[in-house]
Amino acid sequence: MSVNNPLAPLLADERALILDGALATELEARGCDLSDPLWSAKVLLENPTLIYQVHLDYFRAGAQCAITASYQATPQGFLRRGLDEEQALTLIATSVQLAQQARADYLAQQPQAAPLLVAGSVGPYGAFLADGSEYRGDYQLPQAEMIAFHRPRIAALAAAGVDLLACETLPSFAELQALLTLLADYPTLGAWFSFTLRDSEHLSDGTPLAEVAALLNASPQALAVGVNCIALEQVTPALRTLAALTTLPLLAYPNSGEHYDAVSKTWHACDGEHGSLIGQLDAWRQSGARLIGGCCRTTPQDIRAIAGQLAGR
């Protein structure tokens, strides 16, 4: 069986694919209280219609791919809230259905926008820990246990019909190895892999990007590689590093320009820092980025600006 690659036609002729922007911080901006270990997954329980609306707003802004609200949605996390595994898996499927419904409703109004994709978000084990370790990668789990952690969510996303997986905000090489091992059980399902970084040449856990690229280059299920949930100024150097290591399409969806304090769980602008996604777009494209969007604190307005600038070319 061959791997389904829905990215290939959308990236033909050196085109760029526009991803969506932040989900969780956009939900917060619309009144949700996400001060909870479940983070955006909490809204699957409390107000799923709002998740649908955010997805729809991103499609209206020009996004060609919605990333599901499953980043922090795991049976283990929902168990802490008193839900059993069946209920948890139903909620993970709901995250896909909300994005699919937003896509269908947008395409009913704008059929020329097709094709649009739904990527199933697979957050790292560090996100489940809810202690900021997705930015450090300093957790250890035997591979069999790491695979067991990720399997139920990936199975639910695959069964719900995602076009591909977004294995995102990964800080750990060992976790990447576990995910690739697990994906072999879903041989037609492809994924992109995006990472948090220590610097432009290393994952957050210190693994050289050269090792990361070598592993992904050997996997037919790796459809793209890049960075997300990192600071704006880290993106271009990281893309340049990756461009020298792989022919896989590169992706970038960083944070808005503010910096996150994982201890206080607050965002801060840095003194003297000036930047925006749209201001960095040319540099990212020149450095090889083919899939471009935003992560925390970015908005539909940011995605509309990216879409407009790319369309202007």
Side-chain angles (χ1 to χ4, degrees):
M1 289 183 286
S2 60
V3 179
N4 177 40
N5 185 354
L7 300 178
L10 291 163
L11 296 176
D13 305 318
E14 294 301 311
R15 284 177 289 170
L17 176 69
I18 303 165
L19 307 178
D20 62 9
L23 179 63
T25 54
E26 185 66 15
L27 290 169
E28 286 182 318
R30 300 181 190 208
C32 295
D33 177 9
L34 301 188
S35 55
D36 186 288
L38 284 176
W39 206 36
S40 59
K42 173 174 179 270
V43 188
L44 287 170
L45 280 166
E46 297 176 352
N47 193 354
T49 301
L50 193 55
I51 294 173
Y52 159 86
Q53 188 61 53
V54 173
H55 285 315
L56 184 60
D57 288 349
Y58 277 120
F59 282 133
R60 288 172 172 166
Q64 297 166 282
C65 181
I67 303 172
T68 62
S70 52
Y71 175 80
Q72 210 129 328
T74 62
Q76 298 89 336
F78 285 125
L79 180 63
R80 295 169 171 172
R81 296 293 293 268
L83 278 69
D84 62 28
E85 181 162 339
E86 182 178 356
Q87 292 170 311
L89 296 178
T90 297
L91 286 170
I92 293 167
T94 297
S95 76
V96 179
Q97 293 155 6
L98 292 168
Q100 291 170 331
Q101 188 62 54
R103 172 175 63 183
D105 290 349
Y106 179 67
L107 287 176
Q109 301 171 353
Q110 303 289 340
Q112 76 283 358
L116 302 174
L117 304 180
V118 172
S121 176
V122 178
Y125 183 73
F128 161 71
L129 296 175
D131 61 358
S133 55
E134 63 265 50
Y135 306 107
R136 303 188 307 269
D138 56 357
Y139 46 86
Q140 301 292 327
L141 204 64
Q143 186 179 73
E145 292 181 31
M146 186 68 78
I147 289 172
F149 169 79
H150 282 293
R151 184 182 296 279
R153 174 171 49 186
I154 287 178
L157 292 171
V162 293
D163 298 300
L164 72 164
L165 298 178
C167 297
E168 54 183 354
T169 327
L170 300 174
S172 160
F173 188 69
E175 188 159 19
L176 171 62
Q177 292 174 305
L179 284 166
L180 286 171
T181 300
L182 174 56
L183 276 183
D185 292 341
Y186 304 88
T188 63
L189 186 61
W192 79 55
F193 295 87
S194 56
F195 301 93
T196 62
L197 303 178
R198 177 175 298 182
D199 55 46
S200 64
E201 296 183 353
H202 298 86
L203 295 188
S204 293
D205 71 355
T207 302
L209 287 181
E211 292 185 32
V212 173
L215 187 61
L216 292 176
N217 289 342
S219 170
Q221 291 177 269
L223 306 183
V225 59
V227 292
N228 79 289
C229 210
I230 65 173
L232 284 174
E233 68 271 15
Q234 290 183 293
V235 175
T236 299
L239 288 172
R240 289 173 178 165
T241 297
L242 286 167
L245 297 169
T246 185
T247 59
L248 287 168
L250 302 185
L251 71 154
Y253 52 115
N255 297 331
S256 63
E258 298 163 286
H259 285 253
Y260 184 63
D261 183 330
V263 177
S264 65
K265 301 188 186 303
T266 55
W267 291 88
H268 304 279
C270 291
D271 293 339
E273 182 179 32
H274 303 282
S276 65
L277 271 68
I278 194 67
Q280 301 287 326
L281 183 59
D282 284 343
W284 297 344
R285 287 289 282 145
Q286 291 165 10
S287 301
R290 306 291 305 284
L291 299 88
I292 300 171
C295 203
C296 297
R297 305 282 279 190
T298 61
T299 67
Q301 289 72 32
D302 291 310
I303 300 307
R304 182 172 287 109
I306 289 172
Q309 185 161 322
L310 290 173
R313 297 177 180 178

